[in-house]
Amino acid sequence: MLIAASTAALLFLIIGVCFFEPGSTALLPPCPFHALTGLYCPGCGSTRMLYFLVHGQFAAAWRENALSMLILPIIIYGLARQWTPSGAAVFTRIPARWITTFAAVLVLFTVARNLPWEPFRHLAPVEITNGQPQPNATIPRESLPRSR
């Protein structure tokens, strides 16, 4: 049941970003953690990352959330593995030290992307308008891809 729900949610998100810009509809709302605290969580920018990925803008996708972009193939592989007969309970075989390491990476990434100094400020996501990344008013970004 959890695998089916996870797969359905990922497919819904992929289909949603094919047709809608993140933040432009209630189907793809902004991050509630960021809206409440003003801080970026480790997932902030993941929907925009997926939006840019499905539209072929890989550099912009990386810029929104590099960690999510690195983890996405692992998630897709794990879900695909669960749907195959030989892949039952693949996630129960993950060693505890890997989970601890991943949790530490998430905490470090979250702290680093909220720091205002170079080079950490480039880990924070940027806003998009009309499918193009735009500089965030509070955190200047000089390294954004140029629109054509």
Side-chain angles (χ1 to χ4, degrees):
M1 179 71 163
L2 181 61
I3 301 303
S6 299
T7 304
L10 183 61
L11 289 175
F12 174 78
L13 187 58
I14 291 171
I15 291 168
V17 297
C18 285
F19 300 104
F20 301 106
E21 187 175 299
S24 67
T25 175
L27 294 174
L28 302 170
C31 175
F33 181 80
H34 183 263
L36 289 172
T37 66
L39 299 172
Y40 298 112
C41 73
C44 278
S46 294
T47 306
R48 291 189 301 267
M49 179 272 304
L50 196 56
Y51 173 84
F52 285 125
L53 270 181
V54 300
H55 290 92
Q57 298 179 21
F58 301 108
W62 179 262
R63 179 67 189 88
E64 287 298 325
N65 194 320
L67 185 61
S68 289
M69 196 165 169
L70 291 172
I71 293 171
L72 185 62
I74 298 167
I75 292 171
I76 292 172
Y77 171 76
L79 286 172
R81 188 85 195 264
Q82 290 293 332
W83 283 103
T84 61
S86 64
V90 69
F91 290 111
T92 59
R93 294 179 280 201
I94 297 174
R97 68 177 178 266
W98 286 23
I99 295 171
T100 304
T101 302
F102 181 68
V105 167
L106 279 180
V107 169
L108 290 173
F109 181 71
T110 303
V111 170
R113 73 188 323 209
N114 285 290
L115 296 174
W117 310 292
E118 292 289 341
F120 305 110
R121 66 187 182 98
H122 294 286
L123 293 174
V126 295
E127 302 299 321
I128 60 170
T129 305
N130 298 323
Q132 296 298 318
Q134 301 296 318
N136 187 328
T138 57
I139 303 174
R141 309 279 195 297
E142 294 81 25
S143 63
L144 286 171
R146 301 285 181 229
S147 9
R148 297 178 187 202

